[in-house]
Amino acid sequence: MTQTDLPPLRRVCVCVPTYDEAQNVEMIVGRIRSAVPTADVLVLDDDSPDGTGAIADRLAEHDPAVHVLHRPGKQGLGPAYLAGFRWARERGYDAVVQIDADGSHQPEQLPTLLDAAARADVVIGSRWVPGGSVHNWPAHRRALSVGANTYARLALDIPVHDATAGFRVYRMAALAQIDTAAVASQGYCFQVDLTLRALDRGLTVVEVPIAFVEREVGTSKMSDAIVREAALRVGVWGVQRRVAQVRERLRRGRRWSGWHHLEENL
């Protein structure tokens, strides 16, 4: 199947992971429903002590396109999204969307990402491609993100400029080709992990420029542990890929040498 004949996305599920987002959840759900009225919204709440889950339940009571999946305790971004993917797959959705609950990913840009999904398996809303931008970030956060993505691109030898981005569209057929059961990454490393798995399976991954806006309400979930996990895992993956490449070259060299020797003896 080529990039131009992918089936249309008739049923889309927008997954919104939440933990202590009581001040934001109603806002983000409302903006998603306004931006893409035909899409459903799935709030994935990790038993937020601030009552986020109860607010989401009230939204679902008044809107049949809003759903809530309550999870027992704070388990992290990666497991939340994987649970959302399973939920959507079991209900026959054609695609899932990843979006933050704090408004940093603007739902009004989601139609552009969905348009791009007409010719791609995975669409990444990218801050670091021409046309992308970041607003209200301090210099150290900007430097951290640029550095992390440059590190991932060089260490893993991938063409993606914003592998840590969390605003994405995945076709369900593409996720079926990715071994999501083997994904154990947390935080932003989860995004790099899925990006790498998609590229390694030959899926079409495109980046669409977005304007990223730092949250105005609530607390960021970024921590030193998330940064350390990403740096360690990306480094390990990079070494593993280099070793695999060397082994493949050696294997091909032995095969070529064998054929050359055979020709000499014919």
Side-chain angles (χ1 to χ4, degrees), residues 177-189:
Q177 299 180 53
I178 299 174
D179 185 13
T180 54
V183 176
S185 308
Q186 299 286 331
Y188 296 99
C189 194

Side-chain angles (χ1 to χ4, degrees), residues 6-14 32 35-40 94-98 107-120 123-125 167-171 206 208:
L6 293 173
L9 300 178
R10 294 187 174 87
R11 298 190 66 213
V12 175
C13 178
V14 183
I32 293 169
V36 191
T38 58
D40 285 0
D94 300 312
V96 291
V97 174
Q98 294 182 195
E108 294 75 18
Q109 296 181 335
L110 181 52
T112 302
L113 271 68
L114 290 171
D115 286 345
R119 61 186 185 278
V123 179
I124 299 174
F167 194 11
R168 301 181 174 216
V169 179
Y170 285 94
R171 284 181 169 270
V206 300
V208 173

Side-chain angles (χ1 to χ4, degrees), residues 33 40 59-67:
R33 295 288 293 123
D40 285 0
L59 296 175
E61 288 175 3
H62 295 92
D63 187 345
V66 177
H67 311 273

Side-chain angles (χ1 to χ4, degrees), residues 22 25 43 45 48 50-61 68 70:
V25 65
V43 177
D45 187 63
S48 299
D50 71 347
T52 301
I55 296 173
D57 284 337
R58 288 198 295 271
L59 296 175
E61 288 175 3
V68 186
H70 294 278

Side-chain angles (χ1 to χ4, degrees), residues 178-253:
I178 299 174
D179 185 13
T180 54
V183 176
S185 308
Q186 299 286 331
Y188 296 99
C189 194
F190 172 80
Q191 314 295 4
V192 180
D193 196 343
L194 285 189
T195 301
L196 189 59
R197 291 172 186 269
L199 291 169
D200 283 349
R201 282 152 184 80
L203 299 176
T204 303
V205 179
V206 300
E207 291 184 272
V208 173
I210 63 164
F212 179 95
V213 181
E214 174 66 335
R215 70 158 67 225
E216 294 183 358
V217 178
T219 303
S220 171
K221 307 305 186 293
M222 172 67 77
S223 68
D224 291 342
I226 290 174
V227 175
R228 286 194 300 270
E229 183 207 23
L232 177 60
R233 285 186 181 268
V234 169
V236 170
W237 292 337
V239 170
Q240 290 173 339
R241 290 170 75 80
R242 294 298 185 273
V243 169
Q245 289 169 357
V246 170
R247 287 176 175 169
E248 178 61 18
R249 291 192 188 103
L250 291 174
R251 187 184 66 80
R252 289 179 178 178

Side-chain angles (χ1 to χ4, degrees), residues 13 15 42 44 69 77-93 95-98 168-170 172 175 178 180 183 190-191 194:
C13 178
C15 296
L42 174 64
L44 301 147
L69 182 60
L77 183 69
Y81 274 131
L82 292 177
F85 295 168
R86 288 191 298 271
W87 187 95
R89 182 181 63 247
E90 291 167 358
R91 288 159 180 80
Y93 287 90
V96 291
V97 174
Q98 294 182 195
R168 301 181 174 216
V169 179
Y170 285 94
M172 196 60 70
L175 282 176
I178 299 174
T180 54
V183 176
F190 172 80
Q191 314 295 4
L194 285 189

Side-chain angles (χ1 to χ4, degrees), residues 13-28:
C13 178
V14 183
C15 296
V16 186
T18 58
Y19 184 78
D20 280 358
E21 296 288 357
Q23 295 173 288
N24 288 315
V25 65
E26 185 170 2
M27 171 274 297
I28 195 65

Side-chain angles (χ1 to χ4, degrees), residues 91-149:
R91 288 159 180 80
Y93 287 90
D94 300 312
V96 291
V97 174
Q98 294 182 195
I99 189 169
D100 285 353
D102 59 15
S104 56
H105 301 145
Q106 300 182 74
E108 294 75 18
Q109 296 181 335
L110 181 52
T112 302
L113 271 68
L114 290 171
D115 286 345
R119 61 186 185 278
D121 299 301
V122 181
V123 179
I124 299 174
S126 178
R127 300 158 292 184
W128 308 122
V129 294
S133 59
V134 171
H135 302 269
N136 303 327
W137 254 11
H140 75 276
R141 282 292 303 276
R142 183 184 295 267
L144 176 62
S145 182
V146 171
N149 279 288

